[in-house]
Amino acid sequence: MRFPGLAKSPSWLGSAGAISATTLTLLSACDGTLPNLRGGSEGGTASGFELQFWVGSALGEFCTQAAQQFNAQKPKLATGEAFYLSCREQGSGDLVEAIVAQGQQFQAGILPVDDPQLPSLISVDGDVYYNQLIYRLGQVFPGQTLVPPITDAPLLAHSPMVFMTPAPLAPGLAKTPDLYKALVTAQTHQDLDPASPPQPIYFVHTAPNRSNSGLQTLIAQFASVSGKAPETLTLADVTAAQGQVKQIQGKITRYGISTRSLATAMVDNGPFWASVGSVYESAVIEANSGLAPGQTRYTAVYPAATYTSSMRGIGLQAPWVSATEQAAADQVLAFFQEPSVQAIATNLGLRPGVPGVPLGPKFGPEFGVNPQATYDSYRPPTPEVAEAMIQAWEQEAKKPSQVVVVVDSSGSMEGNKLPAVQSTLQNYIAALGPQDRIALIDFDNLIREPVLADSTPEGQSQGLGFISNLQADGETYLYDAVLTARNWLQQNRRPDAINAVLVLTDGQDSGSSLTLEALQGELQKSGFSSDERIAFFTIGYGEEGAFDAAALEQIANLNEGYYRKGDPATITQLMQDLQLEF
């Protein structure tokens, strides 16, 4: 199909998601990240319509490099119509939700058959979310088959789920027959293996409601403590096992939406931040590829049974998919399966989707992996059971969190800045789960008392009252406000929870009694080298240069968090992603 003019951007893409109406959309997912366009028109030299391929962090660089080669061939359909390929990133859970929402809009007549928002080819990052997609679309289109069987979707690449750990701790993990079952009770690495040091176990994995690797990890935990294969698990098994899964989750340092970023954070922050991570094998290779001199090498420990994380191309058999879309999608998928293109994947640490393609040079002990690793490959549970696991995690098993949200309400927040923040905070508070508590502090040249909010009706009301009372006025006592938040969290710390401070400011400090150096000295006392383990996350809001990005980055990095830049157009998505860390 060709579409004259410009397409209206889908609401779930946000302002960054506007695309040409001549776009044919291909969607893929892996880890949740903000959609990011890469590859594409090669500096404007490509011609024809744009073909978007949405991939997650595991496939992002593979897609980008493959797209460059594909576009260099100046691809055309059999009709002679030219097109070019670009790549985007989106999370598996988010992607399934988006496709289902689009299907519902199509069924309701809101989206016409030729609307470019409707995808023609998709690829979720594993067979678990593949099954979820079939199930969810089957509810929207009962009696119709919009998604082909898994066996009909070509495999583009795969990467098994492994335990990432510092090389000195790997032998102890490798000796443990069933690590998840052991993590129910083990508190230190010496509990797993007497020859290992008495170091506390700190665990990380991504959020299962947004990330494929997180969902696969959660399913593996339920399977382990139940003593059953995932495909045989029942709803009753989920209920019976959630208490033991909660004990495993109690060792979490933090969650997140990106497997790659968690693996990188493990290397940057060291084993007293996280000593074990459930990640893709490719993430271990990538983390070891960028080691600085003196940094510890990490090792992939392969469970006896794990998920393969199959990344497949899925052609939708939907009423809105045209012959033109099918032809373009088929051409791209055929190209991605060529041996020379598969070699791009293996050079990046992904295992090939096509038999006979040799592994790349990074598959070896130097990069922490075993090219000959063997394991039993898990199959997905039923979609109903997978959804029950996610719900059990959100409502019961997830590690609790206590976060102090520090909001700059100084005079520079006037205009459209403050309303955008108020709307974002309203969404943030509404999304709080039963395990989450937040304390809201707003500041200018005054630092006001914390307002507590949670998921209860009373907590929601208090949070909305805080939002309504925000007014832009005064100066920016940033450093004093940050220390006030830390001090409150020290006094009200929850030992069983993720304790963190989230700072949102649009300006530079003006008038604090503390200097940045004095603040840093104070924050070090409550970092991950202490028992308090209070993380800091910072957002510079508004125009670049209006806030002190370097200071915000120093505050975050000092206590193993991170800094991000936001503006009225991106702040909602940014805060949604940050909320998944906790």
Side-chain angles (χ1 to χ4, degrees):
M1 289 182 291
R2 295 299 300 276
F3 307 98
L6 292 177
K8 187 174 181 180
S9 173
S11 60
W12 53 274
L13 287 181
S15 62
I19 57 176
S20 166
T22 56
T23 296
L24 302 182
T25 304
L26 292 87
L27 301 175
S28 175
C30 178
D31 297 315
T33 57
L34 288 174
N36 179 30
L37 186 63
R38 302 196 289 176
S41 61
E42 298 301 301
T45 59
S47 60
F49 63 83
E50 179 186 21
L51 187 66
Q52 292 183 10
F53 195 177
W54 286 51
V55 300
S57 59
L59 280 179
E61 187 60 28
F62 172 39
C63 186
T64 298
Q65 293 188 26
Q68 291 172 353
Q69 291 191 13
F70 184 78
N71 294 336
Q73 299 179 351
K74 302 188 182 302
K76 294 182 180 180
L77 301 177
T79 60
E81 187 172 13
F83 67 99
Y84 66 92
L85 179 64
S86 65
C87 305
R88 283 184 179 265
E89 298 182 5
Q90 180 72 1
S92 293
D94 294 339
L95 180 57
V96 171
E97 291 296 330
I99 295 172
V100 170
Q102 290 173 336
Q104 291 170 334
Q105 293 176 25
F106 176 81
Q107 283 285 71
I110 299 172
L111 294 180
V113 69
D114 60 350
D115 194 297
Q117 296 182 33
L118 296 165
S120 56
L121 182 73
I122 64 176
S123 175
V124 290
D125 196 37
D127 291 347
V128 172
Y129 266 118
Y130 196 128
N131 272 8
Q132 296 305 110
L133 181 66
I134 293 174
Y135 173 68
R136 295 288 302 282
L137 283 179
Q139 293 176 318
V140 180
F141 298 89
Q144 301 182 49
T145 302
L146 272 67
V147 182
I150 287 177
T151 52
D152 290 350
L155 184 64
L156 304 181
H158 67 283
S159 189
M161 295 296 300
V162 301
F163 296 115
M164 177 176 171
T165 192
L169 298 176
L173 264 65
K175 292 177 187 176
T176 306
D178 189 331
L179 183 57
Y180 285 134
K181 189 171 290 185
L183 287 180
V184 173
T185 56
Q187 298 298 319
T188 71
H189 283 269
Q190 199 168 73
D191 293 337
L192 300 174
D193 173 40
S196 294
Q199 177 179 327
I201 297 169
Y202 297 120
F203 184 42
V204 291
H205 68 71
T206 54
N209 54 352
R210 290 273 297 271
S211 164
N212 177 70
S213 69
L215 181 54
Q216 291 181 155
T217 297
L218 185 66
I219 294 169
Q221 291 173 12
F222 273 100
S224 175
V225 300
S226 300
K228 300 174 69 173
E231 67 270 20
T232 67
L233 289 170
T234 65
L235 296 177
D237 292 328
V238 174
T239 301
Q242 67 182 14
Q244 290 179 288
V245 172
K246 182 178 179 68
Q247 290 177 276
I248 298 172
Q249 294 287 308
K251 297 169 179 67
I252 285 286
T253 294
R254 79 166 189 239
Y255 299 101
I257 57 172
S258 169
T259 313
R260 295 170 66 192
S261 67
L262 280 182
T264 300
M266 287 183 69
V267 173
D268 291 342
N269 298 330
F272 287 93
W273 181 79
S275 57
V276 183
S278 178
V279 303
Y280 299 125
E281 178 189 56
S282 58
V284 179
I285 293 174
E286 182 176 0
N288 284 323
S289 299
L291 289 180
Q295 281 188 307
T296 301
R297 189 168 302 281
Y298 280 71
T299 298
V301 176
Y302 298 81
T306 191
Y307 274 105
T308 302
S309 310
S310 301
M311 306 164 195
R312 306 174 186 274
I314 310 165
L316 287 181
Q317 301 165 350
W320 60 77
V321 178
S322 70
T324 301
E325 290 175 306
Q326 291 174 345
D330 289 346
Q331 191 171 330
V332 169
L333 286 181
F335 181 81
F336 271 59
Q337 295 175 81
E338 293 180 6
S340 61
V341 180
Q342 286 282 295
I344 297 174
T346 61
N347 287 334
L348 292 169
L350 294 168
R351 294 187 179 242
V354 176
V357 175
L359 295 177
K362 292 186 176 181
F363 282 86
E366 181 182 355
F367 294 93
V369 301
N370 178 6
Q372 306 301 325
T374 58
Y375 54 86
D376 292 331
S377 184
Y378 273 148
R379 297 171 63 186
T382 65
E384 295 89 346
V385 167
E387 287 194 345
M389 290 177 184
I390 294 175
Q391 185 175 11
W393 177 79
E394 292 175 335
Q395 300 296 319
E396 177 63 29
K398 175 182 174 288
K399 186 170 184 176
S401 68
Q402 180 158 268
V403 180
V404 182
V405 182
V406 183
V407 182
D408 182 347
S409 60
S410 61
S412 57
M413 288 289 288
E414 62 185 0
N416 68 338
K417 288 183 182 179
L418 189 59
V421 167
Q422 288 172 306
S423 177
T424 296
L425 288 174
Q426 184 175 7
N427 293 334
Y428 189 102
I429 292 169
L432 291 173
Q435 308 296 323
D436 305 323
R437 299 179 195 167
I438 63 172
L440 297 150
I441 297 176
D442 81 287
F443 74 96
D444 39 54
N445 53 304
L446 297 175
I447 302 169
R448 293 163 186 87
E449 288 295 315
V451 174
L452 305 184
D454 55 30
S455 62
T456 65
E458 181 183 1
Q460 293 283 299
S461 178
Q462 290 177 171
L464 293 177
F466 171 88
I467 294 169
S468 300
N469 290 329
L470 288 174
Q471 295 182 356
D473 190 25
E475 297 183 71
T476 308
Y477 284 20
L478 173 62
Y479 301 155
D480 287 352
V482 170
L483 186 60
T484 298
R486 194 288 306 268
N487 290 347
W488 185 91
L489 198 52
Q490 278 184 321
Q491 297 164 10
N492 298 274
R493 180 176 169 271
R494 297 175 65 186
D496 65 334
I498 299 171
N499 293 273
V501 176
L502 172 57
V503 181
L504 192 155
T505 180
D506 76 329
Q508 303 185 30
D509 183 88
S510 59
S512 284
S513 60
L514 281 172
T515 64
L516 177 60
E517 292 73 19
L519 174 64
Q520 290 175 317
E522 283 292 328
L523 297 186
Q524 284 181 322
K525 299 175 184 177
S526 53
F528 283 76
S529 60
S530 73
D531 292 336
E532 294 177 352
R533 298 175 65 82
I534 296 174
F536 276 77
F537 298 84
T538 56
I539 299 175
Y541 182 61
E543 294 293 329
E544 196 79 50
F547 50 85
D548 191 341
L552 293 175
E553 191 163 10
Q554 288 179 52
I555 292 170
N557 291 345
L558 189 68
N559 280 29
E560 283 76 26
Y562 54 74
Y563 156 77
R564 294 289 185 269
K565 179 188 179 300
D567 56 44
T570 63
I571 189 63
T572 296
Q573 183 65 56
L574 180 59
M575 289 287 284
Q576 287 175 356
D577 291 343
L578 270 168
Q579 193 166 18
L580 289 176
E581 301 288 346
F582 323 121

